[in-house]
Amino acid sequence: MLLFVLQEIPLLTLSEWFDEWFENYKVPYVKETSVFPKRSKFYNSFGKRLGDMRLVDITNIDVQNVITQMNKEGKTASAMREALGRMRECMESAKNNRLIPINPCFEINVPWENRQVKRKACHNSRNSIM
């Protein structure tokens, strides 16, 4: 049974599905001024790294690798979470439309904050400022 189902799945790429999903599920419901930024954020994160992959070939490790790369590039934690959220929504819709059997965007580790060391002013420097 599973083999039969998998043979019927279209060979859509992530970018092709994202365009279809975004036009049908997001564009009609977001402000017109939000469409370009939302689309650009996808293409500058998951789109440029996984966009040419077939939906059925994208795995959990592929998604994790994109987040890891974004972290190495110094992207903010909120930018990574936003990108992952949009990707998760897109892939969940692909699953609900029977294009993929599972959504690979779960159990992904995203840092809560970037790894920058915050320096605290020592007691003496605070007194010299006053």
Side-chain angles (χ1 to χ4, degrees):
M1 178 68 178
L2 183 59
L3 181 60
F4 177 73
V5 172
L6 291 177
Q7 287 175 346
E8 292 181 351
I9 293 175
L11 303 179
L12 286 174
T13 65
L14 174 59
S15 290
E16 290 168 337
W17 172 247
F18 178 83
D19 289 340
E20 177 79 15
W21 169 78
F22 195 76
E23 287 299 318
N24 287 291
Y25 290 90
K26 292 299 177 184
V27 171
Y29 304 103
V30 298
K31 292 180 188 175
E32 189 177 327
T33 56
S34 297
V35 171
F36 178 76
K38 287 178 183 292
R39 186 177 277 139
S40 293
K41 286 178 184 178
F42 170 80
Y43 281 109
N44 288 324
S45 57
F46 286 96
K48 76 178 180 182
R49 292 174 178 91
L50 304 178
D52 291 335
M53 287 183 72
R54 295 179 331 152
L55 282 177
V56 296
D57 293 337
I58 298 172
T59 64
N60 183 267
I61 194 69
D62 295 320
V63 176
Q64 183 64 61
N65 285 339
V66 171
I67 293 297
T68 300
Q69 187 60 39
M70 289 175 72
N71 191 37
K72 287 179 183 176
E73 292 171 0
K75 302 293 184 200
T76 64
S78 62
M80 289 182 273
R81 289 186 186 288
E82 183 180 347
L84 178 60
R86 183 117 31 259
M87 177 70 168
R88 184 178 285 145
E89 279 184 276
C90 178
M91 296 301 274
E92 191 66 16
S93 182
K95 184 182 101 177
N96 292 341
N97 282 285
R98 299 182 181 147
L99 300 176
I100 56 175
I102 62 163
N103 183 344
C105 297
F106 289 95
E107 298 182 359
I108 303 297
N109 293 310
V110 181
W112 282 101
E113 58 184 61
N114 289 28
R115 291 184 235 139
Q116 297 175 349
V117 177
K118 295 178 183 177
R119 294 174 46 180
K120 294 181 181 178
C122 67
H123 181 68
N124 291 338
S125 14
R126 272 188 281 160
N127 289 341
S128 63
I129 295 173
M130 296 176 164

